[in-house]
């Protein structure tokens, strides 16, 4: 827009005593952070620590209970995101906010607060071209947004902020939708701009690798309080995680036991399944998983992973191909799950694998007591053995609940996940299918769940781990497969590949 060639100047921003209460609950208590002009500052914290609340207070989405925002040394009053925009503070959200059916150029122009009623497109297009010339990265301006890759969309979101002259950028987990290559490219570009003093970035992230590689400072929140800050280049990952989790005990990771003479247990042969519109959601999926092996399926969200998991769990019909277990055809029906000892941890287990209003102990008991046919729930008549079994599992799997009788929906996400995994792993497991098992969980839960998965493998289970978190796959998998465009495009033993190679296949190269 105006004067793009003029000196771009990054701004500094401080919060002083920022406090936000919801009823009696203090989501944010007296948080003061200072983000220097031209720095790339990370905001760290576990789920629920108050990160979003803090940036929403800065952006004027929430009015803070107490505290103030200080911009370039001057206290400012921000009542709404519109006020924030006027002060040059902008935010890129975790999901895209672009209009898919418009071109990149149209999206930029309509985002302006002063967009004229009648747009002179020839003039705007020329101004945009000139603006683009000054940018360190480009996006094709005349392409419809729906045709852009996730990386290009994310870049366009950032270009939009620059176009609106918002030099203080808040990014909420900006790389979760990108391939590792796209993420590194985008963060590298932002890093360059901060180094040249053109912008200041405050980035919410939970990826230590990105924070260590690109950021210069960091602040940590825990339960709404500032619990630490420092230099991201010199602080160790251990120090940062300790500030995030306090004295919470984190289970030591289960070790990978070397396996000899593994045999094929699960075989996917030419799987084809269609989406709601009749187009192939997955096609030509061929993969073998041996007993005592974890095969991790990596991929950017939306490349057929959910359809694959649905097909394996019997929620989506196969149009072609066959699932085999120890050479025998496997139809994913309830009875067969028992017979073939196939167990699973679906995404969002509270929704997909539990009865929210029933107790923890009842939910855990489903597997053990609910033998098919499940025409009645008569086993409830004998609560004694059910409760004893449940109590044993609650203790073994570290499920934190006020009582075995509490409704499972009152548990935190990590504890629901632990409870369901306890149930699924409580008997003999031949095949374990898990999808994004640690998504959104706290450190302690992540450690518990990954250990349980590794232990199931060590006991000889064939594990298929579908995950959008590449670090999770690198930690757990014996072999990695990449899913791209609905099919498996790459398979390799984990020790013969690396993040870069996997990332390129994720990007479809
Ligand atoms: P983070 O972004 O670090 O995961 P949030 O800032 O979203 O955490 O949430 C911090 C705490 O405040 C959480 O316990 C959350 O449940 C609570 N919280 C956030 N927004 C609201 C709201 N609108 N009403 C009530 N509680 C909220
Ligand atoms: Mg958040």
């Amino acid at each position: 827009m105006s004067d793009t060639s003029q000196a771009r100047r990054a701004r500094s921003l401080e919060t002083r005593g920022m406090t936000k209460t919801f009823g009696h609950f203090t989501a944010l208590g007296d948080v003061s952070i200072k983000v220097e002009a031209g720095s790339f500052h990370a905001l760290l914290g576990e789920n629920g620590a108050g990160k979003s609340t803090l940036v929403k207070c800065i952006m004027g989405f929430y009015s803070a209970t107490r505290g103030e925002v200080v911009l370039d040394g001057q206290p400012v009053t921000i009542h709404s995101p519109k006020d924030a925009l006027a002060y040059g503070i902008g935010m890129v959200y975790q999901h895209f906010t672009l209009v898919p059916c418009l071109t990149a150029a149209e999206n930029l122009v309509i985002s302006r607060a002063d967009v004229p009623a009648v747009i002179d497109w020839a003039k705007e297009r020329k101004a945009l071209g000139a603006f683009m010339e000054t940018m360190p990265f480009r996006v094709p301006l005349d392409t419809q947004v729906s045709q852009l890759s996730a990386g290009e969309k994310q870049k366009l979101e950032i270009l939009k902020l620059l176009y609106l002259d918002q030099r203080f950028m808040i990014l909420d987990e900006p790389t979760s939708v990108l391939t590792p290559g796209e993420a590194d490219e985008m963060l590298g570009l932002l890093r360059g701009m901060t180094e040249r003093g053109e912008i200041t970035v405050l980035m919410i992230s939970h990826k230590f690798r990105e924070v260590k590689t690109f950021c210069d400072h960091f602040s940590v929140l825990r339960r709404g309080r500032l619990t630490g800050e420092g230099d991201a280049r010199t602080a160790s990952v251990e120090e940062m995680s300790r500030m995030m989790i306090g004295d919470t005990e984190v289970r030591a990771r289960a070790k990978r036991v070397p396996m000899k003479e593994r045999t094929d247990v699960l075989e996917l042969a030419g799987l084809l399944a269609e989406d709601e519109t009749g187009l192939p959601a997955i096609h030509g999926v061929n993969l073998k998983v041996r007993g005592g092996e974890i095969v991790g399926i990596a991929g950017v969200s939306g490349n057929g992973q959910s359809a694959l998991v649905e097909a394996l769990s019997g929620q989506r019909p196969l149009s072609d191909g066959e699932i085999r277990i120890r050479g025998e055809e496997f139809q994913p029906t309830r009875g067969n799950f028992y017979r073939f000892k196939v167990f699973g941890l679906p995404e969002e287990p509270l929704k997909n694998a539990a009865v929210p209003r029933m107790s923890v102990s009842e939910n855990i008991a489903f597997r053990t007591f609910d033998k098919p046919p499940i025409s009645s729930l008569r086993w409830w008549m004998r609560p004694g053995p059910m409760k004893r079994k449940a109590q044993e599992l609650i203790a073994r799997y570290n499920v934190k609940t006020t009582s075995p009788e509490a409704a499972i929906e009152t548990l935190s996400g990590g504890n629901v996940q632990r409870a369901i995994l306890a149930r699924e792993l409580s008997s003999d497991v031949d095949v374990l299918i898990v999808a994004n098992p640690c998504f959104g969980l706290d450190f302690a839960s992540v450690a518990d769940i990954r250990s349980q998965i590794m232990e199931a493998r060590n006991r000889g289970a064939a594990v298929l781990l579908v995950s959008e978190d590449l670090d999770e796959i690198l930690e757990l998998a014996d072999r990695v497969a990449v899913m791209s465009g609905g099919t498996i495009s790459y398979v390799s033993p984990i020790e013969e590949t690396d993040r870069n190679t996997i990332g390129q296949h994720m990007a479809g190269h």
Side-chain angles (χ1 to χ4, degrees), residues 34-47:
K34 177 145 206 237
V35 185
E36 304 281 355
S39 66
F40 197 146
H41 194 113
L43 181 58
L44 299 168
E46 294 229 75
N47 255 5

Side-chain angles (χ1 to χ4, degrees), residues 8-319:
R8 303 179 161 277
R9 202 170 57 81
R11 329 194 76 168
S12 72
L13 187 146
E14 273 177 77
T15 65
R16 288 193 189 147
M18 198 61 93
T19 301
K20 177 69 186 170
T21 56
F22 295 105
H24 293 295
F25 178 71
T26 303
L28 207 59
D30 199 22
V31 172
S32 302
I33 64 167
K34 177 145 206 237
V35 185
E36 304 281 355
S39 66
F40 197 146
H41 194 113
L43 181 58
L44 299 168
E46 294 229 75
N47 255 5
K51 306 178 297 293
S52 295
T53 305
L54 178 63
V55 299
K56 283 178 185 165
C57 287
I58 297 174
M59 288 296 296
F61 275 110
Y62 288 157
S63 69
T65 311
R66 271 193 309 285
E68 60 181 356
V69 174
V70 179
L71 195 64
D72 284 341
Q74 299 297 319
V76 291
T77 313
I78 299 173
H79 287 302
S80 70
K82 226 170 136 189
D83 292 349
L85 192 152
Y87 282 117
I89 307 170
M91 181 155 166
V92 173
Y93 300 85
Q94 255 177 310
H95 49 268
F96 298 117
T97 59
L98 301 163
V99 185
C101 62
L102 299 182
T103 65
E106 287 163 344
N107 264 282
L108 289 178
V109 172
I110 62 157
S111 68
R112 250 166 42 201
D114 65 344
V115 56
V118 180
I119 299 173
D120 179 351
W121 281 107
K123 181 171 146 253
E124 295 292 351
R125 186 65 185 71
K126 206 163 151 233
L128 273 178
F131 162 75
M132 231 25 148
E133 284 299 307
T134 67
M135 289 293 112
F137 51 99
R138 310 271 145 88
V139 169
L141 278 173
D142 299 312
T143 305
Q144 210 172 302
V145 163
S146 57
Q147 303 298 310
L148 299 176
S149 70
E152 286 173 321
K153 282 187 213 164
Q154 196 69 293
K155 282 185 199 156
L156 184 57
E157 295 275 5
I158 289 166
L159 286 174
K160 188 166 99 184
L161 297 193
L162 294 170
Y163 176 70
L164 299 175
D165 216 25
Q166 294 174 302
R167 299 301 171 68
F168 190 92
M169 280 189 195
I170 301 173
L171 311 177
D172 195 350
E173 303 207 9
T175 62
S176 52
V177 290
L178 305 183
T179 65
E182 287 172 332
D184 284 0
E185 187 197 354
M186 195 199 80
L187 295 174
L189 292 167
L190 290 175
R191 163 98 220 160
M193 295 183 78
T194 58
E195 278 169 354
R196 291 191 296 276
E198 293 166 0
I199 56 169
T200 308
V201 179
L202 175 61
M203 174 172 78
I204 297 179
S205 178
H206 67 269
K207 296 179 179 164
F208 289 124
R209 191 189 65 84
E210 291 179 353
V211 172
K212 292 282 306 164
T213 313
F214 298 101
C215 296
D216 34 38
H217 285 87
F218 68 93
S219 302
V220 183
L221 296 182
R222 181 169 81 242
R223 296 201 192 124
R225 300 273 165 182
L226 184 71
T227 50
E229 48 197 346
D231 188 321
R233 291 158 299 195
T234 53
S236 69
V237 168
E238 286 69 37
E239 285 170 277
M240 290 190 218
S241 49
R242 204 165 330 111
M243 292 173 189
M244 284 168 70
I245 65 176
D247 334 312
T248 313
E249 250 186 73
V250 175
R251 176 197 292 251
R253 293 296 157 86
K255 291 224 164 48
R256 183 187 309 277
V257 176
M259 292 277 173
K260 11 181 205 317
E261 295 188 28
R262 291 183 282 206
T263 55
D264 291 339
V265 172
L266 173 69
E267 185 180 352
L268 313 181
L271 301 191
L272 172 71
E274 284 155 8
D275 67 13
E276 285 62 30
T277 63
L279 293 169
I282 54 170
H283 57 93
V285 171
N286 295 300
L287 191 67
K288 287 179 182 171
V289 187
R290 290 170 289 188
E293 177 185 56
I294 299 176
V295 174
I297 297 194
V300 179
S301 173
N303 276 277
Q305 299 96 317
S306 335
L308 175 64
V309 172
E310 285 162 10
L312 294 177
S313 55
Q315 291 165 300
R316 182 179 293 269
L318 282 177
S319 319

